[in-house]
């Protein structure tokens, strides 16, 4: 198959949907060639533009098309997104071309993985989970959505199949295309870069642990590092959203600043001992001495990461100890460097560390 322009390939697939068969007919063979080769090849011509708009490296931009898992699929698709953040269509956020059944046209959608692979089959995610993700995504992007009448909040693929319904429920926003009103290549590229820019915002939020049910970034990074250490030859990747050293330092400084201010408001004299011991702040007030652990996160209040030394120290120090966590910190850029602002402080004074709530990520096992 020679190089086709994007519009022609998309239009032909829309037409072939009227001839759908679950068998590998000549029409379905042609559709498969368009989905798996022609459209991805056309997108690869604008790969640098898509990668830049999505905020990912060119080598990380995944472009793929699928039209069958066994029998020919009723709803074929072509998608692009971060290989690290969305290694499979069942995982993470991406931009996808979804082709409806005859008469339904096509949609270019900002979507999230709508299924999970369980017991040898793709199983739709729960309505509750998809609803929570879509509501969060729309709220997150509410100020950035362009005022374009072609953008629709609901996708209707014209199929009663379970997977089609899951696709419909997993789209935040989409451009709707009919065969008669399909944009030219330049128009399709503009729509793709617009959605790629929105995708970038969702990737940033995931990296900062701000999505529903997200794990604190430091815990997430430790879990993924532990998985790499224990399975160094595994090809199973994590989310690929590690914070930079400068970002982590900015978050740490913001948390320490807010914790210090709160302690001073309570009448404590505060000393930063984070570089010398297994806790962060030494707070004294008269004859009272408190060892304070400080944690900061861009995510919601949830799990925190503790070293073995920190655990042992606070078990022994109780009740002359405290835990202070600043969550919901925001990262902004100032003069080319990350700056942490905002955040909500929550304190446990004293902190009765519950060993039943500890979960090991990695262990050292001494052999000799």
């Amino acid at each position: 198959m020679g190089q086709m322009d994007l519009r022609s390939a998309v239009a032909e697939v829309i037409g072939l949907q009227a001839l759908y068969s679950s068998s590998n007919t000549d029409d379905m063979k042609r559709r498969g060639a368009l989905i798996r080769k022609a459209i991805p090849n056309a997108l690869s011509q604008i790969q640098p533009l898509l990668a830049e708009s999505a905020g990912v490296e060119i080598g990380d931009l995944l472009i793929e098309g699928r039209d069958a898992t066994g029998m020919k699929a009723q709803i074929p698709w072509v998608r692009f997104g971060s290989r690290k953040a969305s290694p499979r269509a069942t995982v993470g956020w991406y931009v996808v071309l979804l082709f409806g059944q005859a008469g339904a046209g096509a949609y270019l959608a900002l979507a999230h993985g709508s299924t999970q692979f369980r017991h040898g089959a793709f199983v739709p995610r729960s309505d509750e989970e998809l609803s929570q993700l879509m509501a969060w995504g729309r709220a997150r992007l509410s100020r950035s959505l362009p005022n374009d009448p072609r953008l629709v909040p609901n996708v209707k693929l014209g199929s009663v199949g379970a997977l089609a319904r899951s696709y419909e429920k997993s789209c935040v926003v989409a451009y709707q295309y009919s065969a008669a009103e399909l944009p030219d290549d330049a128009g399709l590229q503009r729509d793709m870069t617009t959605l790629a820019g929105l995708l970038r915002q969702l990737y940033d939020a995931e990296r900062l642990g701000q999505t529903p049910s997200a794990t604190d970034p430091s815990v997430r990074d430790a879990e993924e590092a532990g998985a790499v250490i224990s399975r160094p030859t595994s090809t199973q990747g994590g989310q690929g959203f590690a914070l930079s050293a400068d970002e982590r330092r900015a978050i740490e400084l913001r948390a320490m600043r807010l914790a210090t201010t709160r302690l001073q408001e309570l009448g404590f004299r505060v000393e930063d001992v984070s570089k010398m011991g297994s806790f962060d702040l030494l707070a004294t007030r008269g004859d009272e001495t408190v060892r304070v652990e400080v944690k900061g996160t861009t995510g919601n209040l949830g799990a925190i990461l503790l070293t073995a030394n920190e655990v042992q120290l606070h078990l022994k120090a109780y009740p002359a100890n405290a835990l202070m966590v600043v969550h919901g910190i925001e990262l902004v850029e100032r003069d080319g460097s990350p700056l942490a602002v905002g955040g909500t402080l929550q304190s446990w004074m004293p902190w009765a560390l519950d060993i039943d709530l500890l979960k090991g990520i990695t262990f050292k096992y001494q052999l000799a």
Side-chain angles (χ1 to χ4, degrees):
M1 176 180 290
Q3 181 69 40
M4 290 184 68
D5 65 88
L6 181 58
R7 184 189 186 282
S8 296
V10 171
E12 188 173 350
V13 174
I14 291 175
L16 287 170
Q17 285 296 89
L19 305 174
Y20 168 73
S21 171
S22 61
S23 301
N24 197 25
T25 64
D26 288 343
D27 291 321
M28 292 299 95
K29 290 179 181 177
R30 174 61 180 174
R31 191 190 72 167
L34 293 166
I35 290 292
R36 295 191 302 272
K37 295 182 180 179
I39 297 177
N41 287 344
L43 293 184
S44 68
Q45 301 303 307
I46 57 170
Q47 188 173 10
L49 178 62
L50 297 177
E52 181 181 5
S53 299
V56 302
E57 296 180 357
I58 293 179
D60 183 39
L61 188 74
L62 173 66
I63 300 172
E64 63 174 351
R66 293 287 185 273
D67 75 319
T69 304
M71 297 186 299
K72 289 294 180 178
Q74 288 184 328
I75 311 297
W77 51 261
V78 179
R79 75 182 188 110
F80 68 84
S82 166
R83 191 182 304 273
K84 295 176 183 177
S86 180
R88 300 173 301 282
T90 56
V91 178
W93 295 98
Y94 48 84
V95 175
V96 61
L97 262 171
L98 291 166
F99 294 88
Q101 287 198 301
Y107 292 87
L108 179 68
L110 181 57
H112 193 280
S114 63
T115 61
Q116 292 177 312
F117 195 73
R118 292 177 180 171
H119 309 299
F122 288 105
V123 180
R125 292 177 180 269
S126 71
D127 288 352
E128 180 181 0
E129 181 181 4
L130 288 175
S131 177
Q132 182 185 34
L133 281 169
M134 297 308 105
W136 172 84
R138 293 187 184 105
R140 184 80 185 187
L141 300 173
S142 60
R143 297 182 179 180
S144 303
L145 292 174
N147 184 20
D148 190 329
R150 296 178 304 125
L151 274 176
V152 296
N154 299 310
V155 169
K156 298 179 181 179
L157 297 170
S159 172
V160 297
L163 289 180
R165 291 198 299 271
S166 292
Y167 294 150
E168 291 172 345
K169 295 172 184 176
S170 65
C171 296
V172 171
V173 68
Y175 286 104
Q176 184 176 8
Y177 303 133
S178 67
E181 298 179 347
L182 191 62
D184 60 15
D185 273 28
L188 288 170
Q189 291 175 16
R190 282 194 298 271
D191 292 347
M192 288 181 176
T193 55
T194 294
L195 292 191
L198 298 177
L199 179 64
R200 179 176 190 160
Q201 294 185 44
L202 298 182
Y203 283 163
D204 287 343
E206 283 197 324
R207 188 172 64 88
L208 298 176
Q210 295 171 346
T211 56
S213 304
T215 302
D216 170 76
S218 63
V219 177
R220 178 196 64 213
D221 294 346
E223 289 175 337
E224 293 184 1
V228 171
I229 292 170
S230 62
R231 295 182 178 85
T233 60
S234 173
T235 59
Q236 181 68 32
Q239 290 176 296
F241 288 131
L243 295 174
S244 70
D246 288 342
E247 289 171 329
R248 290 195 300 269
R249 180 59 178 162
I251 293 167
E252 176 187 338
L253 290 175
R254 177 63 179 171
M256 292 283 281
R257 187 175 299 115
L258 292 186
T260 297
T261 299
R262 177 63 57 84
L263 289 167
Q264 290 172 339
E265 291 172 348
L266 295 174
F268 286 94
R269 179 179 176 274
V270 183
E271 180 183 358
D272 182 349
V273 295
S274 58
K275 291 181 173 61
M276 299 179 286
S278 297
F279 61 100
D280 297 302
L281 300 175
L282 182 65
T284 56
R285 183 173 59 185
D287 295 333
E288 183 181 7
T289 300
V290 179
R291 291 166 173 78
V292 184
E293 189 69 34
V294 180
K295 299 294 181 181
T297 178
T298 52
N300 300 319
L301 190 64
I304 59 172
L305 196 65
L306 296 170
T307 67
N309 286 340
E310 289 170 346
V311 169
Q312 292 303 315
L313 182 143
H314 286 283
L315 287 173
K316 294 177 181 178
Y318 178 81
N321 72 331
L323 172 65
M324 306 185 82
V325 178
V326 181
H327 60 94
I329 295 173
E330 296 183 17
L331 284 172
V332 298
E333 186 174 314
R334 178 173 294 178
D335 298 328
S337 298
L339 175 67
V341 298
T344 301
L345 174 66
Q346 187 158 336
S347 304
W348 290 260
M349 298 179 66
W351 176 31
L353 194 156
D354 186 344
I355 60 174
D356 291 333
L357 297 180
L358 292 173
K359 178 183 177 181
I361 296 177
T362 58
F363 296 90
K364 182 177 76 171
Y365 185 67
Q366 192 69 42
L367 294 174

